[in-house]
Amino acid sequence: MLRIGHGFDVHAFAEGRKLILGGVDVPSERGLAGHSDADVVAHALMDAVLGALREGDIGKLFPDNDPAYEGADSLVLMRRVADLARERGWRVVDADCTIAAQAPKLAPYREQMRANMAAALGVPVDAVGVKASTTERLGFVGREEGIAAWAVALLERIE
């Protein structure tokens, strides 16, 4: 049996924070606002896995009003989501992510993002895709107000 999940997340830019994407500290003048490390692509991927599990979203598991998750490393949380999948009798087969960011350029960090998230999920690197795109200066992403990310995850029932 297979299940697919879809995830989406968005964070506004914030001064004085690191820009963490897929567990990579991307050089940037601004980071993203959020209770945790605000890793928008990791959050989208976790939501995709949780969607396939029918377990809600990351806000249900890791509430943004819980001080335990303030500044949390999203890859640590992703490991917990992968553990939950295994506990429920599922394994991640494949995942694909898209990041929408006008700036900074993300291509140089794509492979490390893939490796980081694959390790957190406990899957081979070739099971995680990451793409980045601009929005041709349209919308909040195009105005460089924030970054958005989408993800899909395919899970397989463990026999």
Side-chain angles (χ1 to χ4, degrees):
M1 173 188 246
L2 299 173
R3 281 193 183 167
I4 191 166
H6 178 263
F8 171 76
D9 197 30
V10 61
H11 286 273
F13 279 117
E15 300 294 331
R17 288 187 56 115
K18 291 181 176 185
L19 178 58
I20 307 296
L21 295 171
V24 176
D25 186 348
V26 177
S28 177
E29 293 179 11
R30 300 176 295 173
L32 295 172
H35 186 65
S36 67
D37 62 5
D39 187 334
V40 68
V41 66
H43 293 181
L45 183 49
M46 286 189 281
D47 269 351
V49 173
L50 290 169
L53 292 173
R54 313 303 189 245
E55 292 283 344
D57 58 33
I58 60 172
K60 178 181 172 188
L61 275 184
F62 313 114
D64 66 4
N65 59 359
D66 186 334
Y69 304 115
E70 187 172 349
D73 180 333
S74 292
L75 294 183
V76 170
L77 302 181
M78 189 178 287
R79 282 185 205 68
R80 291 177 56 189
V81 168
D83 289 344
L84 177 66
R86 286 186 284 277
E87 289 168 15
R88 299 286 193 267
W90 296 88
R91 71 178 186 92
V92 176
V93 175
D94 198 66
D96 191 39
C97 308
T98 302
I99 306 166
Q102 196 64 43
K105 295 295 181 194
L106 300 177
Y109 311 101
R110 187 177 78 87
E111 294 306 318
Q112 189 58 56
M113 289 182 209
R114 292 179 64 217
N116 290 348
M117 293 191 292
L121 290 172
V123 300
V125 173
D126 67 356
V128 177
V130 173
K131 302 170 303 301
S133 181
T134 69
T135 59
E136 301 296 328
R137 301 221 169 265
L138 298 173
F140 77 94
V141 170
R143 291 187 301 271
E144 297 187 36
E145 296 171 7
I147 296 178
W150 295 260
V152 291
L154 180 66
L155 276 60
E156 179 179 52
R157 191 80 169 152
I158 300 168
E159 298 300 323

